[in-house]
Amino acid sequence: MGGSSSLNQKSQGAGYHVSGFLSEKVGRLKITKEQWEGYLAGLDDGARERAEAGTVFHCDAAHGKQEDGHLDANVCMFIGKAHASDIHPTGYWCGNDVYTQLNHAITVFEILHPGCKGLFLFDNSTGHSKMAEDALLAQNMNSGPGGKHVSKQRGTMWTGSDGIEHQQSFVFAAGDRLLFDAKNVRAPPLDGTFPVGLKVEVKRPGERKLRKGATVMSSKDGKYTVSIYVDGRAEDEVLEDLDASAIVVPAETYKAGPIDARLVGQSKGITQILLERGVIEPKSKLKAACGAKEKKARKDAKAEEGIGQHESAEVPKHAGWSGYTPCCLEFLLSEQPDFQAQQNAIQELILSRGHYCIFLPKYHPELNFIERYWSRVKWYARQKCDQTKAGLRTATDEALSEKACDLALIRRYSRTAWRWVDAYRRGLDGVLACWAVRKSKCHRFVTDAVDREVDRMAEEQKEGEAARAATEHVEPPPLVVRGVADMAAVGALGDDDDD
């Protein structure tokens, strides 16, 4: 097809990743060396040290040893295991990288616009939804006390039925009370080591079953030697060079009452948290969590009932409420106000820095004008790349420059996105919204004349659909064919868009 790009076969070749921020006022977020040094000069020692620490990420060797990489909020890096570094152990871009880059990008924004508040827009992608390590997430908690890992969740405040706020920790402290009889609780040593003489259970190499009756004999450099009592044998079996992952403490039952010393510092678990809040009774029969089999059964049942045209085939993890009864303890805790109010790491960072954040609806890239910018950058890089790694980087750097996409073009992309927002605000969708955006030439909204024309076309479309429905023994064309036909009828497939 004339003017289109060729589709090359996918392979395990080199990849070059670019992550950046775009402003309709200044374009790419970047500063000069003088601006950066002037910013540092106005900070105290502690703030200056934190600001300089944030530049290490942008000047990492994986980005080409750019000494002035911190002057640009963009991050460019080759991806893959061959390009792993101390800052990128896997060699790939992940949620932690987005967080680190954003923290420095906010600093660059504040240098460019002192005293202003920024509104940061993000696509609703999984890479932008990472939660902080200490976020309030019920899915990261065991139902009972103890467990292999101690809860990292931050302390929280909850409001009782009397309107009084209560502070709550997710780990046991000396003086706490266990509010139910906890069975099969494993409380491993908090420092992760197993002292000599401790009774444990172990896994033999190559086995999955735990062997009981084992005792730690010695330890060295993180390796353990244990002895296992075997019925009918004069001597115990000795296992050497075992990793800590192959050793667990025996499961025990802890009665309700003053906390046992072995549980101090251990995770409380969902049941204890809900009991402290008075949400459930000690003898509650609710299961811990909804399993994968239950979710699959609900998904299959939904498929049998039939899935609507605009309805997803997926089902939530939890069955939810059945009358006044929750499906499980995990769901009940996740419905608590403090857990519902939990924001992702990006939102928490931006709000803590005094700015605003919006996550755009899923599957609507037309609302984010940076998508048009990336499309332009990739198109330009394809034209200039000589199919080598060095050429790819050179072509991409040139594509990111004002030579390929200047501020005027970036602002046109922004105006187009604003017209999409206004079209949706007026209640338009699909083909009619696309037509209205293309025909409107105002900077940030759809004109009234175009809006009236859209209303007329919508009425004609309804009349046509009614006429087709009244026709007997005629099957409607497939949805995709109807969509293309409607777009062609209103001129939405034309190439006369100035933008």
Side-chain angles (χ1 to χ4, degrees), residues 234-248:
E235 297 181 355
D236 294 344
E237 180 182 0
V238 177
L239 299 178
E240 299 179 342
D241 294 332
L242 290 178
D243 293 327
S245 58
I247 305 174
V248 297

Side-chain angles (χ1 to χ4, degrees), residues 152-164:
K152 297 181 180 179
Q153 293 175 322
R154 67 193 70 163
T156 184
M157 300 290 293
W158 62 277
T159 304
S161 57
D162 53 3
I164 299 176

Side-chain angles (χ1 to χ4, degrees), residues 8-72:
N8 298 324
Q9 184 177 3
K10 292 185 177 180
S11 67
Q12 298 298 321
Y16 196 61
H17 177 86
V18 181
S19 176
F21 293 84
L22 207 62
S23 166
E24 64 179 356
K25 185 174 181 64
V26 298
R28 285 171 56 186
L29 288 184
K30 56 182 180 179
I31 55 177
T32 64
K33 188 174 182 180
E34 291 73 19
Q35 286 176 308
W36 175 252
E37 293 175 348
Y39 170 75
L40 293 181
L43 301 178
D44 56 45
D45 293 341
R48 187 184 302 109
E49 184 177 347
R50 289 191 296 271
E52 291 176 340
T55 66
V56 176
F57 177 82
H58 287 257
C59 300
D60 178 47
H63 309 143
K65 297 182 179 179
Q66 301 170 354
E67 295 182 359
D68 58 349
H70 60 286
L71 302 180
D72 192 337

Side-chain angles (χ1 to χ4, degrees), residues 23-325:
S23 166
E24 64 179 356
K25 185 174 181 64
V26 298
R28 285 171 56 186
L29 288 184
K30 56 182 180 179
I31 55 177
T32 64
K33 188 174 182 180
E34 291 73 19
Q35 286 176 308
W36 175 252
E37 293 175 348
Y39 170 75
L40 293 181
L43 301 178
D44 56 45
D45 293 341
R48 187 184 302 109
E49 184 177 347
R50 289 191 296 271
E52 291 176 340
T55 66
V56 176
F57 177 82
H58 287 257
C59 300
D60 178 47
H63 309 143
K65 297 182 179 179
Q66 301 170 354
E67 295 182 359
D68 58 349
H70 60 286
L71 302 180
D72 192 337
N74 281 8
V75 174
C76 304
M77 57 176 285
F78 282 101
I79 57 174
K81 294 181 179 179
H83 302 282
S85 65
D86 293 338
I87 294 181
H88 295 97
T90 64
Y92 292 93
W93 188 258
C94 62
N96 290 332
D97 299 323
V98 176
Y99 184 91
T100 305
Q101 180 196 14
L102 172 61
N103 195 26
H104 184 66
I106 295 175
T107 301
V108 174
F109 172 86
E110 292 173 346
I111 294 174
L112 290 171
H113 309 288
C116 297
K117 291 183 179 293
L119 175 60
F120 290 81
L121 277 68
F122 291 89
D123 291 331
N124 217 318
S125 65
T126 54
H128 298 155
S129 59
K130 180 184 181 298
M131 309 296 285
E133 290 187 356
D134 60 349
L136 301 182
L137 295 175
Q139 65 211 44
N140 291 348
M141 299 175 61
N142 296 327
S143 60
K148 187 175 182 180
H149 301 289
V150 177
S151 175
K152 297 181 180 179
Q153 293 175 322
R154 67 193 70 163
T156 184
M157 300 290 293
W158 62 277
T159 304
S161 57
D162 53 3
I164 299 176
E165 286 192 341
H166 304 268
Q167 190 170 2
Q168 189 174 41
S169 172
F170 289 88
V171 296
F172 285 112
D176 287 343
R177 293 183 64 85
L178 184 63
L179 302 181
F180 69 108
D181 293 339
K183 301 179 180 179
N184 298 321
V185 175
R186 300 183 188 272
L190 296 175
D191 60 1
T193 62
F194 299 92
V196 175
L198 181 67
K199 299 295 183 180
V200 295
E201 298 176 4
V202 300
K203 293 179 183 178
R204 287 195 181 99
E207 293 186 1
R208 300 181 61 184
K209 183 179 178 181
L210 286 170
R211 298 285 179 171
K212 298 182 179 180
T215 304
V216 177
M217 297 177 61
S218 63
S219 64
K220 183 179 181 180
D221 298 331
K223 299 290 185 178
Y224 293 88
T225 299
V226 302
S227 62
I228 305 176
Y229 172 76
V230 181
D231 289 335
R233 293 183 57 174
E235 297 181 355
D236 294 344
E237 180 182 0
V238 177
L239 299 178
E240 299 179 342
D241 294 332
L242 290 178
D243 293 327
S245 58
I247 305 174
V248 297
V249 296
E252 299 187 37
T253 297
Y254 293 86
K255 294 292 185 180
I259 199 70
D260 188 287
R262 291 170 293 178
L263 288 180
V264 174
Q266 299 285 346
S267 302
K268 289 182 176 179
I270 295 178
T271 304
Q272 176 74 14
I273 293 296
L274 292 174
L275 285 170
E276 290 179 354
R277 300 186 180 202
V279 179
I280 61 173
E281 298 294 331
K283 295 184 179 180
S284 173
K285 300 298 183 182
L286 287 176
K287 59 187 176 184
C290 295
K293 291 183 178 179
E294 296 167 321
K295 179 179 178 180
K296 184 179 183 302
R298 288 187 282 112
K299 186 175 181 179
D300 293 341
K302 183 177 181 179
E304 291 180 3
E305 294 175 359
I307 301 173
Q309 178 178 339
H310 300 290
E311 188 178 3
S312 172
E314 291 297 322
V315 296
K317 177 182 179 181
H318 300 292
W321 295 94
S322 177
Y324 294 99
T325 304

Side-chain angles (χ1 to χ4, degrees), residues 482-497:
R482 296 205 310 270
V484 172
D486 290 341
M487 294 178 73
V490 301
L493 295 181
D495 56 357
D496 58 341
D497 186 4

